Amino acid sequence: MTEPFEQAVQRHGATVLRVCRAVLGPGPDADDAWQETFLAALRQWPDLAPETNLEAWLVRVAGRKAIDVLRARGRGAVPMETLPERPAADGLPGTGADGLWSVVASLPDRQRLAVAYHYLGGLPHAETAALIGGSVEAVRRASSDGVRALRRILEEDERTPDHTASALTIGPIGPR
């Protein structure tokens, strides 16, 4: 890119900030996304082709940085004044959470494997697909369906008076 970076910031900074605020709302998160956008742009600046539509490129980068901030918000801890009393369980079979494991075991094979490898094992969908066979999209769907079934079963179990609390000690499975 032949244009000086400082001029690009001056000319397109307001547009980038509007995009960040539209996605994140006004506040420090939008400002952080704006800064991240221009840091990423600065890193790529020497390699940009001269014919690049700079404003469109910066808006696309800003949108992605704003989405990164939204994802980070979703992963953050939720502050609470008092922690709920709950028995400690690490989720291993035989440690008091057997009800949960029997529910997981009741899932259809593909859903159970997709949930186990992706959510419990931490593998990306692509690696899970390689392990159990099928496409990434099919594995993503199987894991989503499995988590939905687990939530439904555990929520039904919570509503019945004779449910086993040990099945609920691990908390939600996967992101909500």
Side-chain angles (χ1 to χ4, degrees):
M1 183 58 63
T2 58
E3 177 181 4
F5 184 74
E6 295 80 15
Q7 286 180 355
V9 173
Q10 289 174 352
R11 195 167 73 231
H12 302 294
T15 302
V16 169
L17 186 57
R18 281 193 301 273
V19 169
C20 294
R21 286 181 177 165
V23 175
L24 300 167
D29 284 345
D31 297 339
D32 290 346
W34 183 89
Q35 290 176 359
E36 288 293 324
T37 298
F38 282 105
L39 284 174
L42 183 59
R43 285 186 210 105
Q44 294 298 317
W45 197 254
D47 300 329
L48 279 178
E51 66 274 359
T52 300
N53 180 342
L54 194 53
E55 186 174 46
W57 181 75
L58 286 168
V59 165
R60 186 175 68 229
V61 172
R64 290 178 179 168
K65 293 298 179 182
I67 289 171
D68 290 346
V69 170
L70 287 174
R71 288 179 180 152
R73 274 186 196 167
R75 289 188 299 264
V78 177
M80 301 177 78
E81 288 198 27
T82 59
L83 294 176
E85 288 294 324
R86 197 177 347 177
D90 55 8
L92 297 175
T95 60
D98 294 333
L100 175 64
W101 292 108
S102 64
V103 173
V104 171
S106 73
L107 292 174
D109 287 343
R110 290 194 58 82
Q111 289 180 9
R112 181 176 38 80
L113 292 173
V115 166
Y117 287 136
H118 180 68
Y119 290 105
L120 305 176
L123 295 179
H125 289 300
E127 290 182 31
T128 302
L131 284 171
I132 67 175
S135 68
V136 174
E137 293 79 18
V139 167
R140 184 174 286 119
R141 177 62 189 256
S143 66
S144 174
D145 290 348
V147 168
R148 186 179 311 114
L150 286 173
R151 284 190 182 126
R152 181 182 40 79
I153 292 167
L154 292 175
E155 286 170 359
E156 288 172 2
D157 189 39
E158 233 177 9
R159 283 181 283 219
T160 59
D162 62 336
H163 77 278
T164 57
S166 63
L168 303 172
T169 56
I170 291 182
I173 303 288
R176 279 200 179 210

